[in-house]
Amino acid sequence: MRPAYGPNGSLPSSVYQEKMQRHGTSVFSQWFTPVYITFPGSHKRHLRLWAPILPRRLQFLGIGRKRSIFLAITTALFVFLTIFAVGKRIRGEEQRLQDYLTGDPPTLVFKREDIQRIWQWEIASGHYPSRQGLPAKLALKQPPENPGLPPKTALPSRFRPPSSSISTLPIGSKRIYLDVQSQRPNVAYPPRPVPGSIADLDIVMQHCEYPKNFVRDCLEVLRIGAGLDNGKRLRRGKMDDWKYIYVEQGSGEPTALIPRGIDASEPQASENKDTDYGFTKRRGVEWEVPPISLPPTQPYASSSQRKTPCDPRYPRIFHMFWTGPFTDKPYLALLSFLYTQNVGLHVTEYPVDTAACRPQFWLWINPGPAASIPNPNAVRDMFGQLKANPWAAPFLHPRFKDVIQFKLWNTTEQLDGVPEIKDHWRDLGTLFNSGGHMVKIQSKKASESTTISMNSTGTGTGVQPSKARPTGNAADDDDMENRLGSKSASSYDRLSVILSDMARFVLCHRFGGIYLDADTIFLRDWEELWGSKQAFAYRWSRLEKYNTAVLHLNKGSALGSFLFKTALKNELDFHPMTISRYMKDASMEGLLLRLPDALFDSAWLNTEYYQRERPPQPYFSEFGEFFDTSAANSAAPQALGFGGFFLGAFSYHFHNYWWKPFDQSRNYPDLGSRFPISAEGREKLTELPLEGEKVEDDLRDLGWSAVLKRTFEAHIRGEIPNNYGEYIVW
């Protein structure tokens, strides 16, 4: 840049001088001078700017040249710092503006120091066995000790956290990664997982996370790493990177850690004077007053340090929630559980002290509509109805009593059992909040609108002052309040779905374990997932959001406490999209791992037109094809059988379709003479077994849902082994 005596640096022309003389006495020209900037590549085109003449003006005021230059520089620096400070303040409001524009207001109610405490508690308890770095927003000054990771070694670059993040300090047991394969002569079926084995979810994420990986390729890694490809493994070179299952090797006493540098008196503060800078509080509510009340950290013990296979602090319980009459949907979920999980039915007496820790299945029954009044005889009535229901009665057999339990859902009792909300939930306007959409219950006898309110006796769910009960009018009985289960796509039981959104968090926080939606079918043993103490849900298809159709939370954890206290100040909204906001706003997504949907929902991406160029087996363009397999693809189910259905995935989620039968031609429980259908049960079925049935009476082409149902039933009848080669011993 240079002062302009002429556009090209030459002596000014007469015209130019005339213009300068004409404007030379103006106030503007006394303070500013034109500066020309030459455009790159062109010596004849210039950009004219006006620059202040501060030193000259200050000299006119009696200030020396050196002092005037110094004062000008100081003034410019002051202006720059002022702009920087204001900009920094404005950036803190950018997220608020973005939330306003996108319709997602902030949900956060915890200060940074409590968020630090929650992270530290989870890490110290061994609930973060990950090599991933910690969020920079935590502003931790020192790495927390992590008993869930082995002592530090040189990590591959894919596991090294970004330089801007803080890693944990690994102090845990050594890991031995397994090469799981069937050994001769037992090569007909894959082996059961090694008791106490653990899935390295970092490796799973590396090979399965969307969009970097195809579901098809992920399933190959999952089945080869678990030895599910028995007898069918092809030579593909060294597969060490596909080994994701390990056992811990260590000795000594369980590790009990006290969170370093984070306690009630000395929280780790950010270097910024605003200790909560970067975190935006939910509008209209107060911060949770720190410190958050947390139980002592749970001493971490590897499987090699435990004296028994089961750890009572981490119970292996599968939870499922069901409303309405028992149908073929929970029936098939229970059959798939018995078929795939290590429940010990292949031996007469299960060696509980030496074998693997066998899981239990707790099916929670909500006996009436989600907005119904309490019934003092609910437990007796529930078992009476289960015994009379042909789909449910078989699971009351004494052979299943150690692994399947039916539980009565009682909303009042359950919410009172959650210490974070038991003294506050009655003050809320409604319990039916789904993604901010609140449903109020309309009284039938008055025009006033009433909201769900549970009675204080703890005897069940209730609506006050109105009572939701059958009216005798078909239209009234099928309204939202009285609806009992989903009978079709047009009569969806929305209230029960909203209640189940909350129930899954209540059950996992109170009792521990894994929750699954009732439209889920087990496909393999979950031993390696039980081994990981990390909480998880899975990804909502292509979106970076949670789907809680599968949810694992540790019993009484700091994460669970955070979720309930946050939900309480967000009107108890437990919709998966809202849970995603809770976790993101608090920088806690690492504590609730968002596993790829390939593990539990392998068809989802294909049904939304993604990855159709390389789909997994089978290929579904829509979820209905699980029930109604097209004629062009109908040879695959019978030819491939159970082993050809998303082999490698842990489960399959068929996304509702409650009204669609699994097996159209045999829509009844076909479990053999050991489980005859009673006369009362036959009245509840739409299809009945045919006397002297012939093959010509059956469908020629069977869909996937029918093949899976008949496979599970044949195992219960004792005709075939399960997918691990085990027969039931009665």
Side-chain angles (χ1 to χ4, degrees), residues 45 56 88 109 147 167 169 209 373 414 527 567 585 661:
R45 301 183 62 185
R56 182 187 305 174
K88 192 173 183 181
V109 299
S167 301
L169 183 62
E209 189 173 17
I373 62 174
Q414 293 291 348
E527 173 73 26
D585 291 350

Side-chain angles (χ1 to χ4, degrees), residues 236-534:
R236 301 202 63 176
K238 196 173 183 180
M239 298 181 182
D240 288 351
D241 287 345
W242 290 9
K243 294 179 181 178
Y244 65 93
I245 298 174
Y246 67 90
V247 293
E248 292 178 314
Q249 186 180 68
S251 59
E253 297 299 323
T255 304
L257 296 179
I258 299 176
R260 303 189 335 171
I262 299 182
D263 54 39
S265 59
E266 297 183 10
Q268 295 195 39
S270 168
E271 295 179 358
N272 192 287
K273 291 183 179 180
D274 181 2
T275 57
D276 298 307
Y277 175 76
F279 291 99
T280 305
K281 180 178 69 68
R282 173 179 168 82
R283 292 185 290 274
V285 301
E286 298 296 328
W287 287 109
E288 284 287 316
V289 179
I292 182 175
S293 177
L294 295 175
T297 55
Q298 301 176 3
Y300 182 81
S302 65
S303 58
S304 62
Q305 295 171 324
R306 294 196 300 267
K307 297 181 180 179
T308 59
C310 295
D311 188 337
R313 299 170 305 167
Y314 301 98
R316 298 191 176 188
I317 304 171
F318 289 109
H319 301 278
M320 191 170 282
F321 182 86
W322 182 257
T323 295
F326 205 93
T327 69
D328 62 335
K329 300 307 180 291
Y331 167 82
L332 201 69
L334 288 170
L335 286 184
S336 68
F337 166 76
L338 295 174
Y339 185 80
T340 59
Q341 304 308 300
N342 195 0
V343 292
L345 298 182
H346 61 290
V347 294
T348 304
E349 296 291 336
Y350 191 79
V352 294
D353 294 332
T354 59
C357 180
R358 61 176 175 174
Q360 290 185 336
F361 194 115
W362 290 8
L363 185 57
W364 294 87
I365 304 292
N366 189 34
S372 62
I373 62 174
N375 178 2
N377 301 316
V379 175
R380 184 183 63 188
D381 291 349
M382 179 188 74
F383 279 101
Q385 294 171 7
L386 292 174
K387 186 176 180 180
N389 189 303
W391 296 107
F395 304 108
L396 298 176
H397 192 282
R399 190 69 176 102
F400 306 136
K401 65 182 178 64
D402 294 327
V403 291
I404 294 177
Q405 297 186 22
F406 291 95
K407 304 278 187 177
L408 178 70
W409 172 264
N410 181 315
T411 304
T412 299
E413 177 186 355
Q414 293 291 348
L415 296 186
D416 283 345
V418 180
E420 291 83 1
I421 65 172
K422 66 177 183 179
D423 297 328
H424 307 285
W425 65 266
R426 289 177 176 83
D427 300 330
L428 300 176
T430 179
L431 293 181
F432 297 113
N433 184 3
S434 178
H437 177 69
M438 299 183 188
V439 181
K440 293 188 176 182
I441 304 305
Q442 184 71 30
S443 172
K444 301 295 182 184
K445 297 181 180 180
S447 59
E448 62 177 326
S449 175
T450 62
T451 56
I452 291 300
S453 174
M454 304 303 147
N455 60 42
S456 59
T457 61
T459 56
T461 60
V463 180
Q464 300 175 348
S466 66
K467 296 183 178 181
R469 61 175 68 235
T471 64
N473 184 297
D476 289 342
D477 291 347
D478 195 43
D479 64 11
M480 182 181 293
E481 299 173 30
N482 295 295
R483 196 166 291 160
L484 191 60
S486 300
K487 302 174 183 178
S488 67
S490 60
S491 61
Y492 196 71
D493 188 357
R494 182 173 177 79
L495 290 187
S496 293
V497 173
I498 297 175
L499 183 59
S500 74
D501 284 342
M502 177 177 62
R504 66 197 66 200
F505 287 91
V506 172
L507 295 173
C508 290
H509 188 53
R510 288 194 66 194
F511 305 105
I514 298 176
Y515 175 91
L516 302 100
D517 273 349
D519 48 355
T520 299
I521 298 173
F522 291 93
L523 298 180
R524 59 179 278 191
D525 196 321
W526 285 40
E527 173 73 26
E528 302 95 343
L529 290 182
W530 285 118
S532 176
K533 302 301 185 291
Q534 189 159 13

Side-chain angles (χ1 to χ4, degrees), residues 22-88:
R22 181 179 302 176
H23 300 287
T25 58
S26 67
V27 176
F28 182 82
S29 62
Q30 294 178 10
W31 284 91
F32 296 91
T33 182
V35 176
Y36 287 88
I37 301 177
T38 303
F39 283 102
S42 175
H43 298 289
K44 296 182 179 181
R45 301 183 62 185
H46 306 273
L47 175 66
R48 184 174 65 177
L49 301 175
W50 292 91
I53 319 176
L54 290 179
R56 182 187 305 174
R57 196 63 189 167
L58 293 174
Q59 289 179 25
F60 175 78
L61 295 176
I63 302 177
R65 179 177 178 83
K66 292 184 178 180
R67 291 185 178 181
S68 65
I69 294 176
F70 174 76
L71 183 58
I73 295 175
T74 304
T75 303
L77 183 61
F78 174 77
V79 172
F80 173 78
L81 293 177
T82 302
I83 295 174
F84 177 79
V86 172
K88 192 173 183 181

Side-chain angles (χ1 to χ4, degrees), residues 2-13 16 36 38 43 46:
R2 59 185 183 277
Y5 294 99
N8 297 316
S10 60
L11 293 175
S13 64
Y16 185 80
Y36 287 88
T38 303
H43 298 289
H46 306 273

Side-chain angles (χ1 to χ4, degrees), residues 489-674:
S490 60
S491 61
Y492 196 71
D493 188 357
R494 182 173 177 79
L495 290 187
S496 293
V497 173
I498 297 175
L499 183 59
S500 74
D501 284 342
M502 177 177 62
R504 66 197 66 200
F505 287 91
V506 172
L507 295 173
C508 290
H509 188 53
R510 288 194 66 194
F511 305 105
I514 298 176
Y515 175 91
L516 302 100
D517 273 349
D519 48 355
T520 299
I521 298 173
F522 291 93
L523 298 180
R524 59 179 278 191
D525 196 321
W526 285 40
E527 173 73 26
E528 302 95 343
L529 290 182
W530 285 118
S532 176
K533 302 301 185 291
Q534 189 159 13
F536 61 79
Y538 72 92
R539 182 169 179 149
W540 190 287
S541 185
R542 69 191 187 281
L543 304 178
E544 292 187 4
K545 306 290 184 181
Y546 290 103
N547 185 4
T548 55
V550 174
L551 175 69
H552 175 221
L553 290 179
N554 293 301
K555 180 179 178 181
S557 66
L559 174 60
S561 184
F562 158 80
L563 286 168
F564 275 98
K565 290 188 176 183
T566 299
L568 185 64
K569 290 192 175 182
N570 286 271
E571 290 84 30
L572 280 188
D573 189 350
F574 286 96
H575 189 277
M577 291 297 178
T578 310
I579 295 296
S580 302
R581 290 165 53 201
Y582 296 166
M583 302 305 295
K584 184 176 181 179
D585 291 350
S587 295
M588 286 194 184
E589 291 176 300
L591 292 181
L592 183 63
L593 183 60
R594 189 167 48 233
L595 286 172
D597 57 3
L599 278 69
F600 312 107
D601 210 334
S602 303
W604 200 353
L605 285 170
N606 286 166
T607 64
E608 295 189 348
Y609 301 94
Y610 291 88
Q611 297 194 355
R612 288 189 170 185
E613 67 275 20
R614 295 187 69 240
Q617 166 61 36
Y619 166 57
F620 294 154
S621 61
E622 59 181 35
F623 288 114
E625 293 179 5
F626 173 62
F627 300 90
D628 299 318
T629 306
S630 64
N633 298 320
S634 59
Q638 291 166 265
L640 300 177
F642 178 84
F645 189 79
F646 298 117
L647 185 60
F650 287 88
S651 61
Y652 177 70
H653 185 201
F654 55 83
H655 287 252
N656 307 320
Y657 285 90
W658 308 113
W659 50 91
K660 195 78 172 176
F662 286 118
D663 194 342
Q664 296 182 18
S665 63
R666 305 176 73 87
N667 190 24
Y668 53 85
D670 187 14
L671 301 179
S673 59
R674 187 174 279 104

